[in-house]
């Protein structure tokens, strides 16, 4: 009887040992089976701020040095890296400064997309920036001129019209145009500034000197580079010349005027000092975000 009990106890201990070992094996197996190789994190693309990039493209080429437009470095750098990767820009110019070399390279890229004329002058637009950035960066703060429309018998775009409407609201009276946009060759005295979008001349007949200056000031407040022009400066009557900053349809000459305005000049060929009231310069989009 003792022998039988001993045999049963031995068998029981063996079964228990086997169960423990089996449990260890089973508990280890799922852990091993469900372990997967580590996955790499998704690639995070740089972000290009279109507003900052377009602004740099207007200002940087007008600088006497290589000072970069504040807030634009990272965006411009990503655009330049994309241009370099496509063979349009040499590595030495990939520096975050949207100078003449980058402008030339960007114009070449625009032509490669089938653009020509004013659409291939090196000023980035939403279509070309989006195409250039595929797989390389994401685009934020997109801007555009909107559709063309008629105002006072002249052609302007929707963005310019909205800016003028806001200026009129602030002034409390209507502004009448002497010249509009998209008018290539229409006025030889304009030196091509009205060839593209975003540029208008305001009629000042009947306005006092103080009113003229105030109109120019309000236009500046809503995002125009604006100056009171007089007959001693050129072959034209008194008027206010206004260029919508960051209008992506700007002719090259108008872009240059925007750059000069930021740098404290009058936008004329004589490169004289700005003769208007200086304010904290802002674009239409910046104005909208604070009003």
């Amino acid at each position: 009887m003792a022998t039988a009990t001993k045999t049963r106890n031995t068998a029981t201990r063996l079964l228990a040992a086997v169960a423990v070992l089996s449990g260890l094996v089973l508990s280890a197996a799922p852990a091993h089976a469900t372990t997967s190789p580590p996955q790499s994190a998704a690639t995070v693309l740089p972000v290009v701020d279109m507003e900052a990039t377009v602004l740099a493209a207007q200002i940087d080429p007008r600088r006497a040095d290589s000072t970069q437009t504040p807030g634009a470095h990272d965006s411009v750098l990503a655009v330049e890296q994309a241009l370099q990767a496509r063979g349009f820009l040499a590595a030495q110019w990939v520096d975050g400064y949207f100078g003449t070399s980058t402008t030339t390279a960007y114009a070449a890229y625009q032509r490669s997309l089938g653009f020509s004329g004013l659409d291939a002058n090196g000023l980035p637009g939403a279509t070309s920036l989006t195409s250039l950035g595929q797989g390389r960066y994401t685009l934020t703060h997109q801007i555009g001129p909107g559709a063309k429309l008629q105002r006072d018998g002249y052609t302007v775009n929707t963005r310019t019209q909205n800016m003028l409407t806001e200026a009129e609201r602030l002034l409390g009276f209507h502004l009448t145009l002497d010249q509009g946009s998209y008018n290539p060759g229409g006025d030889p005295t304009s030196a091509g500034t009205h060839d593209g979008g975003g540029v208008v001349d305001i009629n000042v007949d009947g306005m006092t000197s103080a009113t003229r200056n105030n109109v120019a000031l309000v236009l500046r407040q809503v995002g125009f580079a604006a100056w009171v022009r007089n007959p001693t400066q050129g072959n034209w009557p008194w008027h206010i010349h206004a260029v919508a900053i960051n209008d992506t349809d700007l002719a090259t000459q108008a872009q240059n005027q925007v750059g000069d305005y930021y740098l404290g000049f009058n936008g004329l060929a004589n490169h004289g000092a700005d003769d208007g009231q200086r304010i904290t310069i802002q674009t239409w989009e910046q104005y909208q975000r604070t009003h």
Side-chain angles (χ1 to χ4, degrees), residues 77-159:
L77 186 65
V79 169
E80 290 175 327
Q81 289 170 338
L83 288 170
Q84 180 194 12
R86 293 179 183 272
F88 291 96
L89 185 64
Q92 71 186 98
W93 306 118
V94 180
D95 54 8
Y97 173 75
F98 209 117
T100 54
S101 295
T102 302
T103 300
T104 299
Y106 201 93
Y109 176 68
Q110 289 172 319
R111 290 193 297 272
S112 77
L113 296 177
F115 293 117
S116 60
L118 291 174
D119 294 326
N121 64 2
L123 183 66
T127 299
S128 58
L129 270 177
T130 300
S131 175
L132 180 65
Q134 290 180 358
R136 299 188 179 278
Y137 58 74
T138 58
L139 194 63
T140 63
H141 290 154
Q142 291 193 41
I143 52 177
K148 296 177 183 178
L149 50 86
Q150 292 295 300
R151 178 189 171 99
D152 300 328
Y154 298 99
T155 302
V156 297
N157 60 47
T158 301
R159 183 175 182 268

Side-chain angles (χ1 to χ4, degrees), residues 78-267:
V79 169
E80 290 175 327
Q81 289 170 338
L83 288 170
Q84 180 194 12
R86 293 179 183 272
F88 291 96
L89 185 64
Q92 71 186 98
W93 306 118
V94 180
D95 54 8
Y97 173 75
F98 209 117
T100 54
S101 295
T102 302
T103 300
T104 299
Y106 201 93
Y109 176 68
Q110 289 172 319
R111 290 193 297 272
S112 77
L113 296 177
F115 293 117
S116 60
L118 291 174
D119 294 326
N121 64 2
L123 183 66
T127 299
S128 58
L129 270 177
T130 300
S131 175
L132 180 65
Q134 290 180 358
R136 299 188 179 278
Y137 58 74
T138 58
L139 194 63
T140 63
H141 290 154
Q142 291 193 41
I143 52 177
K148 296 177 183 178
L149 50 86
Q150 292 295 300
R151 178 189 171 99
D152 300 328
Y154 298 99
T155 302
V156 297
N157 60 47
T158 301
R159 183 175 182 268
T160 302
Q161 170 71 349
N162 291 340
M163 294 170 69
L164 290 170
T165 299
E166 176 61 9
E168 289 173 328
R169 186 188 71 81
L170 296 174
L171 289 165
F173 57 85
H174 177 73
L175 297 175
T176 301
L177 300 188
D178 268 345
Q179 188 175 178
S181 308
Y182 306 103
N183 186 31
D187 181 2
T189 67
S190 69
T193 56
H194 291 262
D195 287 5
V199 182
V200 294
D201 285 347
I202 308 295
N203 185 297
V204 298
D205 291 349
M207 291 186 188
T208 64
S209 175
T211 300
R212 290 193 300 257
N213 291 334
N214 188 51
V215 170
L217 173 62
V218 170
L219 289 170
R220 290 184 172 197
Q221 290 172 345
V222 301
F224 285 99
W227 298 273
V228 176
R229 300 298 196 210
N230 68 72
T232 67
Q233 297 171 318
N235 184 26
W236 49 61
W238 282 93
H239 67 281
I240 297 173
H241 180 69
V243 183
I245 301 166
N246 263 20
D247 188 306
T248 55
D249 276 356
L250 290 178
T252 299
Q253 298 89 331
Q255 294 175 47
N256 292 342
Q257 288 186 319
V258 170
D260 287 352
Y261 172 60
Y262 269 86
L263 299 175
F265 299 106
N266 62 8

